[in-house]
Amino acid sequence: MKNIIGANKSPPMPEVKFITVDADDAGQRLDNFLVRHLKGVPKTHIYRIIRSGEVRVNKGRAAADTRVNGGDVVRLPPTRTSERAAEKAEAMATTAPAREFPILLEDEHLLAIDKPAGVAVHGGSGVSFGVIEQLRRARPQAAFLELVHRLDRETSGILLLAKKRSALKNLQDQFRERETGKTYLALVIGQWPSNKKVLDKSLHKYLLPNGERRVKVVAKDDPDGMRSLTLVKVAQQLPGFSLLEVTIKTGRTHQIRVHLASEGFPIAGDDKYGDFEANKALLKQGLKRMFLHAWRLQLSHPASGESVVLNAALPDELQSFISTQSDSNKP
């Protein structure tokens, strides 16, 4: 039998890497920094190595939402990526169709759009591309374009993007320091008590066996819980529903959806935390999506410091559903 030298040779094992954060990357969340530097590595794995402490910043453990600073040294553990996965990640941005979205405000520093429901803000987790990839394709001349924050795929409304690194850092600092005002319109099932105005409940993120992300309310002293504050105002009472103005003081994952559902008032059409039987009936009545809309955003302009107030009107399909419910109660 012929002895083929090297025929069974294994590929070299990946090694620990150390990356020094430069000025362009300063201010990013750690998870976003890793996504950029570990192309082809699934996000679920990235979050796992952060939680396990394998990723270190200046030799210390760090959370996913830790902001990296210029000069920080980030330790990346050995990670394997198939060429196919890396190529897929690299190709994501080039295969996305070019698309513009309704513009609420744009200047040389920032871009505010009215995101439609059903569109992810970025690719990943089974989504080939999102708003950011489509906008980059539509604007090949843009030297810089990054998401300032996120919206759930099924949530419509105001989405903010930065057109300069300095604007990104400034705006993200405002979000982190709770200096912005974010108000949503949510239609919940049931008659919300007008005197229930503050929801102060800790939330904990976890993964289902299939890797899907979920959030639940936990006790305030739970070590894994993160304090979450939501303010609620009744905008309109409808037969069987309440239209709420919901202002979040903390930006936790699925915060509004989980907080409202935990009070026994799930958002109409919510397929994760909602009333599934009720949702089937609502679908027949014409509500084909979750009724959650990022309606108003108040912030300071990243360059001038002037106050900016953005508004995005309810989408036609949500306004139509409200009108139908209002008419059904008329004699």
Side-chain angles (χ1 to χ4, degrees), residues 205-221:
K205 286 192 289 189
Y206 65 99
L207 296 177
L208 296 176
N210 64 3
E212 198 173 341
R213 182 178 53 183
R214 285 288 190 277
V215 179
K216 63 182 178 181
V217 170
V218 294
K220 287 189 176 182
D221 59 355

Side-chain angles (χ1 to χ4, degrees), residues 5-32:
I5 297 175
N8 296 318
K9 187 177 180 181
S10 300
M13 287 293 292
E15 298 178 349
V16 171
K17 292 181 181 178
F18 293 90
I19 297 178
T20 301
V21 179
D22 60 25
D24 281 344
D25 283 331
Q28 284 193 80
R29 284 171 52 118
L30 178 60
D31 52 359
N32 294 334

Side-chain angles (χ1 to χ4, degrees), residues 161-191:
L161 301 99
K163 296 171 68 176
K164 290 187 175 183
R165 172 67 67 183
S166 57
L168 177 67
K169 186 176 187 308
N170 178 285
L171 291 166
Q172 288 182 332
D173 285 345
Q174 289 187 53
F175 275 81
R176 186 173 64 253
E177 299 301 323
R178 304 176 190 176
E179 294 171 353
T180 60
K182 294 184 287 183
T183 302
Y184 294 70
L185 291 176
L187 187 74
V188 297
I189 299 172
Q191 301 299 307

Side-chain angles (χ1 to χ4, degrees), residues 77-312:
T79 52
R80 282 191 179 278
T81 59
S82 66
E83 286 186 20
R84 182 177 297 178
E87 288 170 2
K88 183 177 178 182
E90 195 66 38
M92 188 181 291
T94 58
T95 56
R99 180 180 177 183
E100 288 280 0
F101 297 87
I103 295 173
L104 301 172
L105 174 69
E106 181 173 14
D107 59 24
E108 60 183 309
H109 302 278
L110 58 85
L111 169 65
I113 65 168
D114 189 354
K115 184 189 87 67
V119 182
V121 295
H122 58 71
S125 302
V127 179
S128 298
F129 53 81
V131 168
I132 187 65
E133 290 85 10
Q134 292 178 87
L135 277 173
R136 285 172 179 161
R137 285 282 285 172
R139 298 169 175 232
Q141 76 286 357
F144 185 90
L145 194 60
E146 294 285 351
L147 293 163
V148 174
H149 62 120
R150 286 164 174 73
L151 289 178
D152 289 346
R153 184 176 181 178
E154 293 308 318
T155 302
S156 56
I158 302 168
L159 181 66
L160 203 58
L161 301 99
K163 296 171 68 176
K164 290 187 175 183
R165 172 67 67 183
S166 57
L168 177 67
K169 186 176 187 308
N170 178 285
L171 291 166
Q172 288 182 332
D173 285 345
Q174 289 187 53
F175 275 81
R176 186 173 64 253
E177 299 301 323
R178 304 176 190 176
E179 294 171 353
T180 60
K182 294 184 287 183
T183 302
Y184 294 70
L185 291 176
L187 187 74
V188 297
I189 299 172
Q191 301 299 307
W192 185 274
S194 58
N195 62 349
K196 187 180 286 293
K197 298 178 180 180
V198 180
L199 302 180
D200 186 354
K201 297 184 173 188
S202 295
L203 298 176
H204 170 60
K205 286 192 289 189
Y206 65 99
L207 296 177
L208 296 176
N210 64 3
E212 198 173 341
R213 182 178 53 183
R214 285 288 190 277
V215 179
K216 63 182 178 181
V217 170
V218 294
K220 287 189 176 182
D221 59 355
D222 190 305
D224 294 321
M226 300 189 74
R227 188 187 178 194
S228 307
L229 190 62
T230 302
L231 308 182
V232 183
K233 176 184 176 183
V234 177
Q236 186 179 356
Q237 292 284 16
L238 299 161
F241 302 96
S242 301
L243 181 64
L244 307 177
E245 294 179 15
V246 184
T247 301
I248 53 174
K249 293 299 184 181
T250 50
R252 312 299 184 201
T253 301
H254 298 170
Q255 176 175 328
I256 295 175
R257 301 165 70 176
V258 176
H259 268 183
L260 298 182
S262 72
E263 292 292 321
F265 296 87
I267 295 177
D270 188 344
D271 64 354
K272 284 185 170 65
Y273 307 100
D275 183 325
F276 305 123
E277 289 304 315
N279 286 345
K280 289 179 184 178
L282 292 172
L283 187 60
K284 294 177 182 178
Q285 295 176 44
L287 186 63
K288 300 178 180 179
R289 53 161 289 198
M290 177 174 65
F291 201 122
L292 183 60
H293 177 70
W295 173 51
R296 179 181 293 160
L297 178 60
Q298 298 169 281
L299 56 101
S300 297
H301 191 278
S304 68
E306 293 179 1
S307 178
V308 176
V309 180
L310 301 168
N311 284 280

